[in-house]
Amino acid sequence: MRLVSRSGIRLAALLAAVTSSSVLLHANDWLTWRGPLNTGVSLEHYKKAKLSEKPAWTYDSHGRGTPVVVDGLLFSFGYHGEKEELAECLTCMDAKTGKKKWEVSIKDFISDTVYNRYSIGSPCVDPETKCVYLLTAYGVFGCWTFEGKELWRQSLMEKIGRMTFPNSKVGCPVIEGDLVIVRGITSNWGADGPAADRFYAFDKENGELVWSTMPGESPPKDSSFSTPVLETRDGKRVFYAGTGCGNIVAVNARNGKPLWRHKMSKGGVNSTPLLYKNTIIMTHGEENVDTADKGRLIAVKLPEHFDKEQMVFDPEVNKDAWLANEKWRIHLRSETSSPVLYEGHIVMVDDDGNMSSVNADTGEKEWEIQVAAHNIHSSPLVIDGLVYFITEQAGITVVKPGKDKAEIVQKIKLEGTGLAQPAVANGMLFVHTQAKFYAFKITNSGITKDKAPEVEMPKAGAPAALQIIPAEFVVAPGGKSSFRLRSVDANGFPVAEVKKASWETFIPPTAKVKAKIETAKFNDANELVADADAKPAAGAFKATADGGIFGTVRGRVLPPPPIKQDFEKFELTEEVPADAAGNAAYKMAYPPLPWIGARFKFQVMANPTPDNKLVGNNVLGKSFDRLLFQRATVFLGTEAMSNYTVQADVMTDGNRRVKSDVGVINQRYLIQLKGNANELEISSNFERLKRTAPFKVEAMKWYTLKTKVTVDADNVNGTVSAKVWEQGQPEPDAWTLEAKVNPVHLQGSPGIFGFSPQHQKRVYLDNVLVTPNK
C-alpha cells in the first residue's frame, strides 16, 4: 500500500461525522451506482421532458459499469486497448462537456478474467473528503482526490488474498462515515484462510483496515457483486447485501459484527437489496433452497431488534421459522440484475428480458412487457416516472409504466453491448457500453428535485470495547508498526481516543495453529517493534485499556529476501483420511502460517515416489479437499517487494495424458510449467500477456524453476526471464524464455502457484528460495 497522506481524521471531526443526529444525502448528484436513495430512482423531475435522440457527447472508453456524478464531475470505470495493451481506467470528465480532466490506468495481473470482462463495477465518491474510490476484480483498491491525486492504493490480492474468477464481478464500494466498505471472496491467512465471501472496512482517508467479517457460510458457491445498502436499525448502522453463499445478510457497519442472515439460494446472490417498510426485497437466479426451479423475488421481514448472536433463518436449521420470515415470494429469475423500488412498486428485468412490476406490499405481479431478448447485469433506472433500461444489443429503451400495463415510448440505438445501469444528474443521462461512453440530454423546460432524506444517526454510548487500527499488520525485522486505539460503544460507534493500553500475545480459542509472535513487543507509544533478527511469524495481540475494555489485532512478521523454505521443520501430525478415489490415508502439516492464501490450497506432506508412496523429505503438495481451490495462488511477501529472483523445485503428478500446472510468481508475473501443454509459460492474465517455450514435462519428475524481473532504466519497460532444468543437473547459463513487457510491473509479492484441474493430479513444490538481485 502506498500512502500519500496518513494524517487521519481528528477524533472530534470523526465523532461529528459518524454520530451527528442526521446526515443529509445529496439530491443533485449520483454518488453510487444505485443513486441517492440506493433504489435506482432519481430525485429529479422535469417539465415537458424528452430524451434527446443524439448524444450530447461521447468518450472513447469501453465499460460495463455505472458512472458516478458529483459537483459537475463525472467518474467512470472502463478500459482501453486490446490484448497486451488493455488497461482498466478510472476517468474524470466534465459532466456537461465530456472533456477529460484526468485518467488513471490500471493493468490486470495474475487474474483469470476472460473475454475482456473488465470494469464490471462502479466507483463511488465521498462528497465530504472530495475523493473517489475504486476496486478492480484483481483487487487493486485505491482512493483519488477529485483533482486526480492518488492518496493511497493497495493490492487486496496480495494483502488479504482476494480471489479472482472468470466472471470478474466487482460491484461498488460504499461509504459509511469514516469508513469505505468493499467485499469479495478472499483466502487470507490463519483463521481467514478458508475461502469465504467477506466484507472489509477501511479508513477512507488513509486506507488502513478497520475490520473484516464473514457473515455468511464457507465455502461460497460463487462470487457476488451485491452492493451493501445501509440504514439505521436497533440503534446500529446496519448494511444488507447478498452473498456468494446464497444468503441475505445484515452486518453492523461500524464493527463488522454479523447480525442476521436469511438463506435464499443454493448459488450466489448478486442483486443489490431494496429496503421497504421493515422488509428487505431481493432477487436471485440460481436454484432455490426448497425447490428445484431457479430464481425468485422475495420480501423478507427484518427484526425490530437484533439478538446478541447472529439470527439465522435457514431451512436446514429451522424450516418453519425460515418460511415464517418471508412476507411474500414470486417466481421471477434474475441472476445479476437488480430491481428498483418506485412508489411502492418493484420494477425488475428477468434473465429472459421481461420487465415486470410487482406490488412491494403483496408480491403480486402488476404487468409485464418484453424489453430485450435476454438480460445479464443491466438494471433499470427510474427517472420522473419513466423506466430507462440498457438492453444488451439494442440500446436505450424507455418504458412508461401504468396501473396494469406498460408501453415502450422510446428506443435509441447505441453502439456496443450494454450491460450497465445508466446514471442521471442535472438533466443528463449517462450510459457506458462496451464500445463507448455516451451522454444524452433530457430536454425540458424546467427541473425540480425532491429533497433527499435525512439519515438519522444514533449517538455514541458508553465505552464497551477497543477498536485497534489497522486491524492487521505486517512488520519487518527491525521495523515497527504504529496503531491508533479508540474506545467504541456496544454498537461500534467511536467514543474517545485511547492513548494508553497494556498489550499481551493472544491465541484465538478456535485457532488451528496455536502460534504467537514472540520476537516483537509493544512499547508505550502503542508501536509494535520487531527484533532485528525476527523470523517469519504470525499471530495476534490483545490490548486492554482502563475500565477493562479490550480489543485484538493480528498480523505477520515478514523478513525481506532472502526467503528460504524447505519444509523440513514441519511435523506431519494432521491425519488425512483415505478418500473415495482410492488415495490412501496420510499425514500432513498446515503450510507456513504467514503465507497469504496457503491454507486449504497446499499442505506440507512427505515427498511422493513415482508410484505415489509418501516417503522421504517434506515437500509442499496441492490440497484436494476444496474444488474452489483447484487454481491456487499463494503470496509469500508484501506487495511492495521488488528486484528479486524466485527459484523452486516443482513437480506434477499424472501420466502422458493428464498432468497439472505448477509454478512461481515474481513481481505480479506467473511463471509456470504447463504439464499437458509441455511448455514453460510466462503470463500475467493469460489473455493479456502470454509467452511460451516448448519444454517436455514428465510426470513425477522434479524440475528446478528460476525467474527474475528486470526493470529498464526508464522505469517503464522491462523483461521477465525464466529458466527450467531437471533437478540435480547443472543450471543452464541461458534463460529458457524471456518476455519483453511494456509497461512492466514495478513491484509485487513473490509467490507460488498450482493448478490441478478438477483435482485430478497433485502438484508439488520444494526448496522455495527468494533472493535479492545483485
Side-chain angles (χ1 to χ4, degrees), residues 651-668:
M651 181 174 70
T652 174
D653 188 8
N655 50 53
R656 288 187 300 174
R657 291 182 139 185
V658 181
K659 296 186 287 286
S660 293
D661 305 334
V662 60
V664 298
I665 296 166
N666 189 326
Q667 212 161 296
R668 299 182 177 172

Side-chain angles (χ1 to χ4, degrees), residues 191 508-515 574 590 599-600:
T510 58
K512 292 283 188 181
V513 180
K514 309 296 184 182
E574 300 291 328
Y590 291 109
R599 187 176 171 189
F600 295 113

Side-chain angles (χ1 to χ4, degrees), residues 224 240 328:
S224 168
Y240 306 89
W328 54 256

Side-chain angles (χ1 to χ4, degrees), residues 34 51 334 337-340 347-355 369-383 386-399 408 410-412 414 418-422 429 431:
R34 295 254 75 188
L51 182 65
S334 180
S337 175
S338 294
V340 299
V347 179
M348 62 171 287
V349 179
D350 63 26
D351 292 349
D352 295 323
N354 299 303
M355 181 181 291
I369 186 172
Q370 185 90 25
V371 294
H374 60 276
N375 182 47
I376 180 171
H377 298 339
S378 186
S379 300
L381 165 69
V382 174
I383 310 173
L386 297 178
V387 184
Y388 293 73
F389 182 72
I390 310 303
T391 61
E392 188 171 349
Q393 300 297 337
I396 303 173
T397 296
V398 184
V399 175
I408 296 174
Q410 191 175 9
K411 286 187 175 183
I412 298 176
L414 301 178
L419 299 177
Q421 175 194 283
L429 184 77
V431 181

Side-chain angles (χ1 to χ4, degrees), residues 87 112 174 198 222 261 286 297 391 407 438 478 487 524 550 610-612 626 711 735:
D112 46 4
V174 172
R198 295 184 174 89
D222 190 14
R261 72 173 174 90
E286 298 296 333
L297 176 69
T391 61
E407 61 175 323
Y438 292 89
S487 59
D524 292 339
F550 64 89
D611 57 358
N612 266 315
R626 303 195 179 198
V711 178
W735 295 103

Side-chain angles (χ1 to χ4, degrees), residues 641-655:
M641 290 183 176
S642 62
N643 195 30
Y644 54 80
T645 295
V646 183
Q647 180 174 311
D649 294 334
V650 299
M651 181 174 70
T652 174
D653 188 8
N655 50 53

